[in-house]
Amino acid sequence: QEQLDGTYAIVEDATVVYDAEKSGLKLGETAKIRLEDYKTFTGFTRNDNHGDAQTSVILQKDASQNVLKLYYDRNKYTVTYVYDGAVPNGAPELPEVKSYMYGAPVTVAGKPTCAGYTFNGWYGFTTGTPVSGTFNMPAYNVILQGNWMADTDTKYQVWFYFERSDGTYPTEPMDNRKVERGGTTDTVVNATDVDKQDKTIEGLLYRFDADNANNVLSGTVAADGSLVLKLYFERVMADYTVHHYLKGTNMAVAEDENGSAQVGSSFKAKAQTISGMPAFKEDSAVPQNATITISSDAAKNGVTIYYAATVKLKANDASKTYDGTPLTEGGFTIVNAADLGLSDPITLSMTADSS
């Protein structure tokens, strides 16, 4: 039989010894191999054309010359690798088909790699048994198959964009407004309802802008982690009203001012310049809320600026005896009432030492 190194060795337990006399043969006659003495061996094929094969011999007195020889070549079989099931993009080419002699050691190809996928290993095509390391070539062609499993922790990102005060958006959000998540490679993921909920950033309220054309709300998880979902949030605005009132009254000394500001922002109303009516400062003894935090409830966004009126009075009498009662109009005349736009009655309080 042919050995793995290409040489041939005698198969001792397959050697047949003939008794020429019992076979009725004489010296000088031709002896042939009997049909029943042709043998078969797993993994080998008889080669009658081998140069040293000898299927007949002329019997000689020297028995060492009466040797019949049959040569068996060692068969070759192939090892083929196949992918079973879906093959991801980027998967490496399969190992080439190779031939091995029967009984030769075969080193199994290593596990291939592909971004976003895990290879489950090589298995026998017919047995389903895992195969790794080395094995001796059997007397048949071998097919090794393996399949890919999509990774369930492939990275993708969700970016949150927030409208700036000038109405624009950043080209790319800050790192703390990027969220990394994991998903199954080549499957579709979506922005969640939680992603779309109102967000408060540094006290300011933002709301998801579903109509923004730049939103990317779903996508296929890429093996290289390049998928980015994008959600755009607009500023939430609320109306405010600024009142300008005379101190201690609800009498307007100027028209109300109306506007809007972002919910959560700090808004400080500005006093108007009104002749003869200086505004009280916010830290004065006169209560007023010139600075407020804008609420989503516009009814709570009233801002009041109080003003003092310089009233010129002319007493009707040179003096009046203090009797503990207020001094009402009739006891004095408001000289600049028309300039101040005053029409309501005015009452003055008096003390014992009023002058």
Side-chain angles (χ1 to χ4, degrees), residues 246 251 275-278 308-314 329 332-343 346:
L246 184 65
M251 187 176 74
S275 178
M277 292 188 178
T310 302
V311 181
K312 295 180 181 180
L313 303 178
K314 180 180 180 182
E329 289 185 60
F332 61 87
T333 302
I334 302 175
V335 177
N336 61 339
D339 294 337
L340 297 175
L342 301 178
S343 59
I346 291 180

Side-chain angles (χ1 to χ4, degrees), residues 45 55 66 81 97 103 134 170 184 196 206 209 212 218 240 253 258 270 294 309 331:
T45 299
T55 59
N66 301 330
Y81 295 86
V97 178
T134 62
T184 301
K196 301 174 186 177
Y206 296 83
D209 181 7
N212 193 304
S218 65
Y240 64 82
V253 297
N258 298 301
K270 293 183 179 179
I294 297 297

Side-chain angles (χ1 to χ4, degrees), residues 16-18 23 32-38 55 68:
V16 177
V17 179
Y18 291 105
S23 300
K32 296 182 179 180
I33 297 176
R34 295 174 303 185
L35 184 61
E36 62 268 23
D37 291 328
Y38 284 100
T55 59
L68 302 176

Side-chain angles (χ1 to χ4, degrees), residues 25-26 28-32 56-59:
L25 296 176
K26 298 178 181 179
E29 293 183 339
T30 300
K32 296 182 179 180
S56 65
V57 66
I58 297 174
L59 291 177

